[in-house]
Amino acid sequence: DSGVTQTPKHLITATGQRVTLRCSPRSGDLSVYWYQQSLDQGLQFLIQYYNGEERAKGNILERFSAQQFPDLHSELNLSSLELGDSALYFCASSLGSGGPTEAFFGQGTRLTVV
Amino acid sequence: QKEVEQDPGPLSVPEGAIVSLNCTYSNSAFQYFMWYRQYSRKGPELLMYTYSSGNKEDGRFTAQVDKSSKYISLFIRDSQPSDSATYLCAMSGGSQGNLIFGKGTKLSVKP
């Protein structure tokens, strides 16, 4: 167990809908990273938050947004969902902000858009 | 050219074999190099972490980084069926804290 908790584990929703994925980082970790994993693209970095502030942005669509709350948990919001958004969404956490140090991954949320 | 290239396999070996997994990369700014193992339907798990060039050994696992060739390797000695998983290389320049992953190599170790 990595100590990173993601909920829900599975999510099935229809096109056009909006969903929220939740991540609780390991105790003491200040950075949260969101990744999307699909069969054709592999693991793609979406966004990083450090202690509540956005720190780095990757290939995140405008329909997606994230935030990190004062208690350091993070939420990834996906809206106007399309079939192509079906993927595994992983959250990872690490102690620091710069450099990957050791990022620990959660078990992921499997999103299916129908 | 993708930033990180990794042969997806699948790679099938008999138990006890030495396994060699490799990635090449194009960004000379990468300084941090990692190998993750991912079992089916699970999150990636950090196996090895190397800063800059050189070798690192941990039990049956050895990671090598050759920055001059932009090539990294993971060797698994005395492979076990429990090593069957997808192995992902990942790297970072260190300035932003995000990792660039290879697509992963699926390894199967047959008893």
Side-chain angles (χ1 to χ4, degrees):
Chain A
D1 183 3
S2 67
V4 179
T5 304
Q6 289 187 249
T7 56
K9 286 189 171 49
H10 302 278
L11 201 48
I12 301 176
T13 190
T15 53
Q17 295 298 305
R18 173 189 167 95
V19 297
T20 297
L21 313 183
R22 183 188 167 101
C23 170
S24 294
R26 290 188 321 153
S27 176
D29 283 357
L30 299 177
S31 271
V32 168
Y33 311 78
W34 285 98
Y35 285 84
Q36 179 193 59
Q37 187 176 39
S38 61
L39 280 174
D40 55 342
Q41 294 294 323
L43 260 170
Q44 299 279 309
F45 169 69
L46 296 178
I47 197 163
Q48 178 200 1
Y49 277 81
Y50 174 75
N51 204 21
E53 301 286 329
E54 183 184 304
R55 183 56 62 105
K57 219 169 190 177
N59 300 321
I60 188 166
L61 299 172
E62 284 191 14
R63 300 183 285 109
F64 297 0
S65 65
Q67 55 184 327
Q68 187 178 28
F69 295 86
D71 67 352
L72 300 177
H73 91 272
S74 178
E75 293 181 355
L76 179 67
N77 300 297
L78 314 175
S79 61
S80 303
L81 284 167
E82 302 174 0
L83 295 177
D85 297 326
S86 296
L88 265 169
Y89 290 84
F90 286 105
C91 166
S93 75
S94 70
L95 178 62
S97 64
T101 57
E102 296 183 6
F104 290 84
F105 281 75
Q107 296 296 291
T109 293
R110 183 174 295 277
L111 173 66
T112 303
V113 182
V114 297
Chain B
Q1 181 188 10
K2 286 190 179 298
E3 275 196 293
V4 179
E5 301 270 10
Q6 184 177 8
D7 187 337
L11 182 61
S12 183
V13 301
E15 184 175 354
I18 296 175
V19 176
S20 172
L21 304 166
N22 311 292
C23 286
T24 58
Y25 63 95
S26 58
N27 189 341
S28 56
F30 287 147
Q31 296 282 349
Y32 299 86
F33 303 92
M34 285 122 199
W35 286 95
Y36 283 82
R37 177 174 61 195
Q38 186 175 21
Y39 291 112
S40 181
R41 299 181 183 277
K42 299 289 186 184
E45 168 196 9
L46 181 67
L47 270 182
M48 301 285 286
Y49 164 44
T50 309
Y51 173 72
S52 195
S53 281
N55 295 357
K56 190 171 185 178
E57 191 172 317
D58 184 2
R60 296 184 296 112
F61 298 90
T62 300
Q64 288 184 352
V65 175
D66 182 350
K67 290 190 71 180
S68 61
S69 302
K70 297 192 180 68
Y71 188 86
I72 69 170
S73 301
L74 177 71
F75 297 95
I76 307 174
R77 290 182 299 280
D78 187 25
S79 56
Q80 303 295 309
S82 58
D83 295 329
S84 298
T86 296
Y87 289 80
L88 301 139
C89 63
M91 44 200 83
S92 168
S95 61
Q96 290 183 319
N98 54 291
L99 298 172
I100 309 298
F101 281 84
K103 285 198 175 181
T105 300
K106 188 168 184 178
L107 171 67
S108 176
V109 181
K110 304 293 188 186

